[in-house]
Amino acid sequence: MPSVSARAFQIAFERTLTKGGRLSAGDVKALAGAAARIKDASEARAAAEVLALVKHDRLLDRDEVEPARKALCRLLGVSPRGLPPSVERVLKNAVPVPNVRVQQYDLSFDFSERARGEPESFPARAVITLEDAAGPRSILEADPERLVIDEVRAAGKSVPFTMGDGRLTVTAPGARRLDIRYRVRPTDDTSGYGLVRDRHAGRMWTLTWPYNTGALFPSTSRPHDGATARVTVKVTRGEHVVSAGKQQADGAFHLDRQVPAYAISFYTGRFVDGGTSQRSNGVDVRLHGLGSKVPEATRRELRTTVAKAVEFFSSWLGEYPFGDRLNVVEIESEYGGMEHAGAVAVGVGQARADTVEAGVHEAAHHWFGDGVRIAHWGELWMSEGFTNYATFRFFRHHQGEGKFHALLDAAKETLREQLGKHHTQPLRGPSTSDPQAGLTWVPYMHGVWMLRMLEVKLGTAKLDGLLRAWFQHKRHQAVDTDDFIRFAEASTGERLRPFFAAWDHLQAMPSVRDKSKIEGSTVTFKLAPRTPVPAGVGIPVTVRGRRGEIAQLTIVPGEERTVDVGFPVRKLEWDPERTVMCDVG
Ligand SMILES: [Zn+2]
């Protein structure tokens, strides 16, 4: 029998979805409240799973119905297919998934006139070229709180459309191009999404990651759906527009390589000219500053370091895929930065080193995330982990081994902290994963360590060859972890699947207690696991003698081993090269 509070959650769930699959902020609050009142641990877990599906995007998508059904069955203690009819009824209100693939977004925004109406909005137009001719009904994401659709045309004629549940449904069978006239509403909340306006600084920018592209233009936000883009923005005299790369002769900014929709962006306002750094590979890195909030020295270091990073990534992995310009734009943001293709955002107000690291990280996304796309949000590590690894490799090249180790240590620290709170998630999650829910550091920090450990396993040269081939073969395509494992096994001739399986889902940071004993020149090595250590782990140790002698061994946790190293031993140094993500202490 489910508890009274589980029943109450069921009722709240039904109530929030009675009218449709889109929840109001109040609905989410009510549902979260009902989940919080559940005492029983397994019921609470089931309710949390349901909540996670709708909490951030405020939508129950059709492909979330099965996971929701499973969790609700567990919550209510019923067999599969045994849910009450009242629950089944509201599950039918789930919102349809966009059913088109977009080839190109041609977007225009006009901010040159005062916004009209209340709430105010700006005229906009999206000409969407589809990969395939439209079916009977084309479904796109469109946030009803932010977009007002005025007209949809196909082949020169007005066509019927409806707005509902965060979807724009257009009836234009056979159409290859949808021409949508609409108005877009800005938010004055600088930590908001869509078209964001900072009234104080007189600037606007866009932020649509991960699935808020529908708050800016009718679109499909799924990260595998790559599209090219043209962005034209009209502003008042004295204001400037920054978008992907350089403005073209037709006034538009072009992204002529496919990117996920969230990587399409623009910024308007008056910028502080932060200068240009030209690199030998022909890519200009241009900085667009936000007022005087960032010290000049930080700005210069950000610009020149990002330029060096673009040069490093180009020679390491293959040339910068987005033309001859990378804009770096300072914004007010809760994010450290954002990987807008050809025009990355970097959040102001961070410490100098963090600002510079954020800039390099966003630049690296042009190879991983923007360049090689992910198949779905459960594969976020294929973007963030690879990007972090590329970032760390740049700093190793730029500042040396010590910096590389410090970055790896910090990544481990962040991951340890989060796993310590029992917020675990597998490296690769299901396709319904929400990148804004739960433990968001796993893809970044666990991800970067997977590649570091792979580097150790294969050797740096072999890993570099693999990553270069991976980028060259997969750029402008969507990939998942299985693709990578298959590709890596084929190109290196190594069996790597067991390694990925062993490290897929950590419940805690792998950790061992050092119980080794030193007696003269003899060491009895013993590492006792404190938390589970993935299979196949060996931890390198450097044995240091009193007169500078050195011996190096690898110790398997749980196995005792006695070795006479032939010199009086002073101390043991565990994993000085950061080869295994495991705490020794
Ligand atoms: Zn990132």
Side-chain angles (χ1 to χ4, degrees):
M1 276 291 281
S3 66
V4 172
S5 52
R7 282 270 188 238
F9 182 87
Q10 174 203 334
I11 290 162
F13 181 78
E14 289 171 12
R15 194 173 296 144
T16 57
L17 291 162
T18 309
K19 291 208 195 76
R22 192 162 193 281
L23 288 73
S24 69
D27 288 338
V28 172
K29 221 172 144 194
L31 203 56
R37 283 188 286 277
I38 298 177
K39 295 272 180 333
D40 178 80
S42 71
E43 285 181 353
R45 247 193 323 274
E49 277 174 41
V50 176
L51 184 62
L53 293 170
V54 295
K55 186 177 167 187
H56 293 273
D57 63 355
R58 293 202 270 124
L59 285 176
L60 182 71
D61 288 297
R62 278 214 185 131
D63 57 4
E64 289 170 335
V65 168
E66 255 335 286
R69 190 178 268 133
K70 279 192 188 133
L72 287 162
C73 284
R74 269 188 288 120
L75 175 75
L76 301 173
V78 297
S79 62
R81 308 288 142 197
L83 279 179
S86 52
V87 176
E88 287 294 350
R89 212 159 27 240
V90 298
L91 287 176
K92 287 202 176 65
N93 288 336
V95 174
V97 172
N99 64 354
V100 295
R101 287 190 66 111
V102 175
Q103 196 176 79
Q104 178 173 268
Y105 294 101
D106 188 345
L107 308 175
S108 323
F109 300 88
D110 186 353
F111 305 124
S112 66
E113 285 170 43
R114 261 188 183 288
R116 292 178 301 173
E118 195 57 51
E120 57 185 336
S121 59
F122 297 99
R125 182 181 178 187
V127 179
I128 299 176
T129 307
L130 305 174
E131 290 278 358
D132 307 299
R137 296 182 323 143
S138 302
I139 300 169
L140 290 155
E141 293 162 43
D143 185 335
E145 290 166 27
R146 308 297 291 281
L147 303 190
V148 181
I149 310 291
D150 292 318
E151 188 187 18
V152 182
R153 298 175 77 88
K157 289 198 192 87
S158 262
V159 294
F161 69 90
T162 58
M163 275 286 275
D165 274 354
R167 298 290 182 258
L168 167 65
T169 304
V170 176
T171 308
R176 281 300 306 272
R177 193 165 289 158
L178 303 174
D179 183 354
I180 303 164
R181 310 276 178 147
Y182 66 103
R183 282 162 288 148
V184 58
R185 292 174 181 156
T187 175
D188 288 330
D189 173 5
T190 53
S191 61
Y193 57 79
L195 181 62
V196 182
R197 174 171 54 184
D198 182 343
R199 279 181 184 275
H200 181 68
R203 291 188 28 175
M204 292 205 281
W205 63 84
T206 63
L207 211 145
T208 59
W209 185 91
Y211 35 59
N212 293 314
T213 56
L216 186 66
F217 53 100
S219 48
T220 120
S221 67
R222 312 251 149 170
H224 68 268
D225 193 4
T228 58
R230 287 160 41 88
V231 177
T232 310
V233 183
K234 220 168 141 187
V235 288
T236 51
R237 184 185 289 275
E239 295 204 315
H240 285 94
V241 182
V242 178
S243 186
K246 278 184 197 149
Q247 194 165 20
Q248 304 297 307
D250 61 2
F253 293 87
H254 291 194
L255 260 173
D256 52 14
R257 305 283 168 182
Q258 294 187 340
V259 294
Y262 66 77
I264 302 167
S265 73
F266 62 83
Y267 313 76
T268 73
R270 292 180 173 82
F271 301 94
V272 175
D273 183 355
T276 305
S277 289
Q278 166 111 54
R279 302 309 301 174
S280 59
N281 63 349
V283 180
D284 287 344
V285 171
R286 180 155 202 95
L287 196 128
H288 307 270
L290 175 65
S292 53
K293 287 200 167 178
V294 177
E296 206 42 56
T298 302
R299 205 165 260 162
R300 195 176 326 113
E301 188 182 335
L302 172 62
R303 187 191 74 223
T304 55
T305 311
V306 169
K308 283 178 192 152
V310 168
E311 192 173 37
F312 171 77
F313 298 139
S314 295
S315 66
W316 182 42
L317 299 164
E319 70 177 31
Y320 173 72
F322 299 99
D324 54 6
R325 166 83 73 87
L326 171 61
N327 293 307
V328 178
V329 192
E330 294 169 359
I331 65 167
E332 198 88 58
S333 176
E334 60 180 5
Y335 295 108
M338 190 49 70
E339 61 263 39
H340 295 147
V344 298
V346 172
V348 299
Q350 312 178 72
R352 180 164 164 171
D354 293 341
T355 306
V356 174
E357 193 189 321
V360 173
H361 175 101
E362 305 314 339
H365 267 304
H366 288 79
W367 284 264
F368 302 118
D370 294 351
V372 180
R373 299 190 301 279
I374 55 173
H376 56 78
W377 292 118
E379 295 286 352
L380 190 56
W381 90 276
M382 296 291 298
S383 170
E384 297 299 350
F386 277 62
T387 290
N388 256 359
Y389 182 72
T391 303
F392 290 14
R393 283 294 299 271
F394 164 71
F395 280 107
R396 178 198 229 171
H397 163 83
H398 183 51
Q399 293 180 18
E401 210 63 17
K403 175 71 178 179
F404 185 55
H405 291 169
L407 288 166
L408 285 166
D409 289 346
K412 195 162 89 166
E413 174 81 40
T414 303
L415 185 61
R416 182 192 303 115
E417 232 171 68
Q418 300 222 340
L419 293 174
K421 294 176 191 153
H422 305 292
H423 294 157
T424 79
Q425 79 181 40
L427 187 63
R428 27 181 177 156
S431 61
T432 50
S433 301
D434 183 331
Q436 292 197 302
L439 176 52
T440 57
W441 287 122
V442 163
Y444 294 76
M445 306 311 183
H446 187 172
V448 70
W449 268 96
M450 289 304 288
L451 288 167
R452 169 59 179 156
M453 291 191 285
L454 195 59
E455 179 200 340
V456 172
K457 213 172 161 60
L458 297 173
T460 305
K462 209 164 171 182
L463 178 85
D464 288 359
L466 166 62
L467 291 181
R468 188 179 173 82
W470 173 247
F471 173 71
Q472 308 269 338
H473 280 84
K474 302 292 183 181
R475 62 185 144 191
H476 316 307
Q477 296 175 43
V479 298
D480 63 19
T481 306
D482 270 329
D483 292 332
F484 181 68
I485 297 173
R486 261 195 308 275
F487 187 92
E489 288 190 332
S491 71
T492 63
E494 305 266 352
R495 267 196 82 217
L496 299 170
R497 206 163 281 280
F499 163 70
F500 280 93
W503 285 91
D504 185 60
H505 197 168
L506 298 176
Q507 299 301 321
M509 176 61 67
S511 169
V512 293
R513 191 185 302 281
D514 179 13
K515 294 188 159 176
S516 307
K517 286 199 181 71
I518 303 169
E519 281 171 70
S521 63
T522 302
V523 185
T524 302
F525 295 99
K526 194 178 175 189
L527 295 175
R530 263 194 294 231
T531 60
V533 175
V537 165
I539 299 181
V541 61
T542 300
V543 184
R544 292 198 178 272
R546 298 225 172 90
R547 285 191 215 90
E549 306 94 327
I550 282 182
Q552 281 166 326
L553 297 98
T554 297
I555 305 302
V556 175
E559 287 177 14
E560 196 172 306
R561 187 170 157 202
T562 303
V563 180
D564 185 341
V565 292
F567 54 80
V569 175
R570 184 165 60 89
K571 64 168 183 176
L572 307 178
E573 276 175 25
W574 292 100
D575 198 19
E577 301 298 321
R578 277 66 166 180
T579 63
V580 191
M581 192 174 74
C582 180
D583 286 334
V584 183

